[in-house]
Amino acid sequence: MGKNIVQKIFESHLVSGECKPGSPIALRVDEVYTQDATGTMAWLQFEATGTDRVKVPLAVSYVDHNMIQSNFRNPDDHLFLQTAAARFGAYFSRPGNGICHQVNLERFARPGWIGLGTDSHTPTNGGIGMIAIGVGGLDAATVMAGMPYEIVMPKVVLVRLAGKLQRPWVTAMDVILELLRRLTVKGGVGKIFEYGGPGVEDLNVTERATITNMGAELGATTSVFPSDERTRHFLKAQGREDHWVELKADEDAEYDEIIEIDLSSLEPLIAQPHSPDNVVPIREIAGKKVHQVCIGSCTNSSYQAMKAVASILRGRKVADHVSLHINPGSKQVYEMIARDGSLSDMIAAGARMLESSCGPCIGMGGSPGTGQVSIRSYNRNFQGRCGNKNAYVYLTNPLACAVMAVTGEITDPRTTNIEIEPLTEPDMFIINDNMLIPPPEDPSSVEIIKGPNIKEVPIKDPVTDEITAEVLIKLGDNITTDDIMPAGAQVLPLRSNIPAISEYVFHNIDSDFARRAKEARQRGGGIIIGGENYGQGSSREHAAIAPMYLGIKAVIALSFARIHRANLINFGILPLRFRNSEDMKKIDPGDILTIKNVKDALQSDGEFTVVNTTKGFEFKVFADLSQREKELIIAGGLLPYVRNR
Ligand code: MIC
Ligand code: SF4
């Protein structure tokens, strides 16, 4: 039987297990990268494992999220990351060098590799034919310390592309918005999306990367494209042709599911507030007033996209009531648009140029005002993520964004008379790696510098046999990690200080949560009740560590998002699922729940009986845990587990 690309890459990296959907497998990893907002924890945890040097072939520590330096916290964290990278053997990508995924795609990613990144958009690298998976910091730390990466083998879905995009106004962004429209934010859970079919040829590597980047919004484990002549062209233009290998599925490869998309049939699409799957054709909502436009981020920052944006802005002016922010994804792209004059066109039109960083995507500056409409070429529009929960964020392709910056209203770009230069891919990028610092040969004299913002990682005690805890909050479906642990310029700098950041858990939904949790902690702890796809979105393990610190013992939900579920387990919080969804309706905040015989249940079938002592009824929950996951929970999480060993 023929093999698909995912099977080929997994099998060549298999340490143990069988590549059958649902089976636990362990994989050898070629690269691990971190970004600053998750990286401080990851590197502290790596240090806590007691390992001298990273044990993966390549490790890179990026700085791109926590860029606003309004006090000592962020620059202190940057210095910690730089010194830790030197000490432990990682490359350090300096602040200003760009957003981790874009830079990694340009300078490091390789077809056929397996990589992990402490950020949910790590699958961006799938555009080059790499299996790149977003993980929590602790998973990254243990893999860097020499353990294989363990997951349950996902299903593999073939997305068969036919036809060609109707350029210029229909772009790769519209391909992934179409998938989100069809499948929703939970449609990809437990799956890897492998792209194939004749339409693949129509897309270059950075366009493919836009699609695999936003595959994260489907909840997918990752997404991957074949590696073909277009991949070779990109690598050659990056001076790395020797990293090219061909990668394609066998003719008779089998898939668990097949989805067809005819690229020629797509039109410009837009995701409406407050979810990336709330997608409609732009034309359906044309005419609405726009106050802010943001172009760039890790989703749509290629040189080609930026050049096209500049050609739309050339000789035009940003509408008087619009604030246009542009954050090119990397120094390479920035330097190239500066040298070819595109940057001048942007500035002349009235764009507010930002540094190469996440910026407004994560509310690190650039928040829209009250009641305002912000149109972004980014990947997430969860309520409040932009820094203002009273704003309306829409997601669309970067060229449509540029058009709307000029027209000042939601506009189907096909209805304007704006002409755009043909989009061509460069034959050579500017290669200047002077902001990428390789680790020194001899790190013995490197001192790791920790500023006062950096506090120890809290460690949980082993699980107890009986849990009696109070229901602190009851939530609906698709709760995001932005809901659990908000980002933004105020909270993000506290990422290396768990006691301080834990004050903000659920802050945008229930600002009294942390206080109640700390009270309940004195009496045995708290429980969170969630709906479907609990914890979707980012990889931030703070959405597990901070609740753990506040005494949360279990989350009982209808279903979980992959990375968040792994993070809960890594920090010793039980991820339990209702056997009968009706039971959820009978539980209210304030109820006291008792879970008995926790260890027995963990060691046997993972079925637990919960007694609602307030309301006087029992119900069943289950945890579909692998053997290793059971051991982690019993130990109190991955860090105590590793230490015990
Ligand atoms: C995001 O886009 O939500 C983030 C901020 O990049 C996160 C990482 C983090 O919270 O630090 C992600 O995607 O994992
Ligand atoms: Fe940064 Fe936004 Fe990309 Fe996350 S999604 S890595 S915040 S640019």
Side-chain angles (χ1 to χ4, degrees):
M1 190 179 69
K3 296 204 159 85
N4 58 48
I5 293 172
V6 176
Q7 286 165 335
K8 288 185 187 188
I9 302 181
F10 273 39
E11 281 175 10
S12 66
H13 289 75
L14 200 61
V15 176
S16 65
E18 232 188 311
C19 293
K20 275 200 192 136
S23 302
I25 51 167
L27 298 166
R28 179 174 57 75
V29 168
D30 302 295
E31 180 189 5
V32 175
Y33 66 85
T34 58
Q35 46 89 335
D36 52 341
T38 51
T40 48
M41 274 297 137
W43 287 101
L44 286 171
Q45 288 158 350
F46 178 81
E47 189 182 33
T49 65
T51 320
D52 282 358
R53 287 292 265 184
V54 295
K55 298 212 170 0
V56 284
L58 174 68
V60 190
S61 172
Y62 291 95
V63 178
D64 51 7
H65 285 64
N66 275 342
M67 298 284 278
I68 295 179
Q69 297 177 210
S70 54
N71 56 37
F72 63 94
R73 290 193 179 89
N74 291 343
D76 279 4
D77 284 1
H78 300 169
L79 185 61
F80 163 67
L81 291 167
Q82 181 160 6
T83 51
R87 176 71 189 74
F88 295 128
Y91 276 83
F92 181 66
S93 174
R94 299 183 59 193
N97 197 40
I99 305 176
C100 55
H101 312 304
Q102 174 80 21
V103 177
N104 207 68
L105 184 76
E106 292 167 356
R107 307 304 305 139
F108 292 114
R110 296 197 197 184
W113 265 16
I114 292 189
L116 304 180
T118 60
D119 190 284
S120 65
H121 291 107
T122 304
T124 312
N125 298 279
I128 213 165
M130 174 161 156
I131 293 283
I133 302 178
V135 295
L138 190 45
D139 279 325
T142 50
V143 170
M144 290 194 291
M147 288 170 69
Y149 174 57
E150 299 185 30
I151 46 163
V152 167
M153 179 71 196
K155 290 184 178 163
V156 184
V157 180
L158 172 66
V159 184
R160 189 154 44 209
L161 303 178
K164 282 184 176 359
L165 291 173
Q166 293 191 36
R167 298 168 192 275
W169 300 119
V170 185
T171 77
M173 179 73 165
D174 300 295
V175 179
I176 188 67
L177 287 174
E178 168 64 11
L179 267 176
L180 277 154
R181 187 186 70 75
R182 292 194 204 172
L183 303 180
T184 81
V185 290
K186 46 182 205 253
V189 178
K191 298 175 184 172
I192 295 182
F193 289 78
E194 178 176 316
Y195 288 81
V200 164
E201 259 177 38
D202 187 45
L203 303 166
N204 67 33
V205 166
T206 54
E207 291 173 326
R208 296 173 186 182
T210 293
I211 296 173
T212 58
N213 169 286
M214 228 177 145
E217 273 50 73
L218 295 165
T221 303
T222 192
S223 306
V224 67
F225 270 84
S227 168
D228 55 10
E229 284 307 316
R230 301 211 70 166
T231 321
R232 190 208 286 252
H233 178 96
F234 177 82
L235 279 166
K236 189 169 175 209
Q238 290 288 354
R240 311 201 275 130
E241 194 180 1
D242 54 327
H243 291 169
W244 182 77
V245 290
E246 189 183 33
L247 211 60
K248 59 178 182 189
D250 293 335
E251 293 285 332
D252 53 346
E254 290 190 1
Y255 294 88
D256 299 298
E257 230 176 278
I258 296 178
I259 295 173
E260 313 267 353
I261 296 188
D262 177 5
L263 298 177
S264 327
S265 70
L266 296 179
E267 59 177 319
L269 299 173
I270 190 163
Q272 308 179 91
H274 296 285
S275 182
D277 60 4
N278 189 9
V279 174
V280 293
I282 298 181
R283 63 182 159 74
E284 280 184 15
I285 56 167
K288 196 173 183 60
K289 187 169 177 181
V290 168
H291 305 90
Q292 183 192 58
V293 175
C294 300
I295 304 177
S297 88
C298 63
T299 314
N300 278 296
S301 267
S302 65
Y303 172 61
Q304 175 182 296
M306 287 292 152
K307 227 178 142 211
V309 164
S311 92
I312 295 168
L313 296 175
R314 184 173 308 139
R316 300 195 167 83
K317 148 179 185 306
V318 173
D320 288 348
H321 57 277
V322 173
S323 178
L324 169 63
H325 304 254
I326 302 181
N327 57 335
S330 70
K331 170 166 160 290
Q332 181 182 75
V333 170
Y334 224 144
E335 184 176 349
M336 286 178 71
I337 59 170
R339 292 196 188 279
D340 78 4
S342 301
L343 180 59
S344 319
D345 293 328
M346 292 173 172
I347 294 171
R352 299 170 63 178
M353 298 306 297
L354 306 172
E355 55 186 339
S356 275
S357 69
C358 301
C361 178
I362 193 72
M364 257 293 160
S367 297
T370 308
Q372 291 192 350
V373 167
S374 175
I375 309 288
R376 301 176 166 209
S377 74
Y378 302 171
N379 52 32
R380 288 187 176 145
N381 59 347
F382 306 140
Q383 188 165 18
R385 175 181 163 93
C386 62
N388 182 358
K389 61 179 175 181
N390 299 313
Y392 300 90
V393 176
Y394 293 72
L395 309 171
T396 191
N397 82 53
L399 313 195
C401 282
V403 167
M404 295 186 213
V406 172
T407 62
E409 57 183 47
I410 293 185
T411 311
D412 182 335
R414 297 170 303 179
T415 61
T416 64
N417 56 7
I418 296 176
E419 291 202 356
I420 181 170
E421 273 179 20
L423 306 176
T424 48
E425 218 189 333
D427 289 330
M428 202 63 214
F429 291 94
I430 295 177
I431 296 161
N432 174 356
D433 289 331
N434 63 3
M435 300 272 277
L436 264 179
I437 306 178
E441 292 273 307
D442 174 14
S444 54
S445 61
V446 177
E447 188 201 342
I448 299 178
I449 302 175
K450 291 180 191 159
N453 190 41
I454 295 183
K455 301 279 185 274
E456 288 298 308
V457 188
I459 299 206
K460 192 179 167 294
D461 292 330
V463 79
T464 50
D465 209 26
E466 181 174 312
I467 293 173
T468 294
E470 177 183 334
V471 173
L472 291 171
I473 195 166
K474 184 173 165 182
L475 303 145
D477 293 346
N478 297 321
I479 286 296
T480 71
T481 53
D482 281 277
D483 295 323
I484 306 169
M485 187 73 261
Q490 191 186 356
V491 184
L492 272 170
L494 304 175
R495 284 286 181 94
S496 15
N497 183 341
I498 299 301
I501 206 169
S502 66
E503 295 295 324
Y504 292 91
V505 173
F506 286 120
H507 200 260
N508 289 339
I509 296 184
D510 173 357
S511 57
D512 193 39
F513 181 87
R515 188 196 59 77
R516 288 201 316 278
K518 280 189 284 184
E519 266 182 29
R521 188 169 61 183
Q522 313 294 333
R523 302 188 294 263
I527 289 181
I528 293 167
I529 305 290
E532 298 281 1
N533 199 26
Y534 178 81
Q536 70 153 330
S538 86
S539 70
R540 69 189 68 148
E541 61 191 354
H542 300 76
I545 313 180
M548 181 267 273
Y549 178 79
L550 291 176
I552 299 302
K553 303 288 186 229
V555 180
I556 311 180
L558 295 174
S559 64
F560 289 90
R562 176 188 65 89
I563 311 179
H564 186 59
R565 179 181 171 280
N567 286 334
L568 288 173
I569 295 169
N570 282 350
F571 291 94
I573 298 180
L574 278 164
L576 302 173
R577 296 173 65 183
F578 287 98
R579 261 284 164 238
N580 177 356
S581 59
E582 292 298 307
D583 289 329
M584 182 178 170
K585 299 191 184 136
K586 296 190 244 159
I587 302 173
D588 290 301
D591 289 359
I592 304 293
L593 306 185
T594 297
I595 315 174
K596 288 205 173 118
N597 304 325
V598 174
K599 284 189 201 156
D600 274 356
L602 277 170
Q603 269 146 355
S604 55
D605 56 358
E607 284 271 341
F608 301 75
T609 304
V610 186
V611 185
N612 185 328
T613 52
T614 310
K615 301 237 169 72
F617 69 92
E618 276 185 15
F619 61 98
K620 296 273 184 214
V621 298
F622 68 102
D624 41 3
L625 300 166
S626 68
Q627 188 50 36
R628 172 176 178 269
E629 290 172 335
K630 289 177 182 173
E631 287 169 26
L632 297 189
I633 295 271
I634 290 171
L638 181 52
L639 216 48
Y641 172 84
V642 171
R643 279 192 172 178
N644 295 345
R645 292 187 142 201

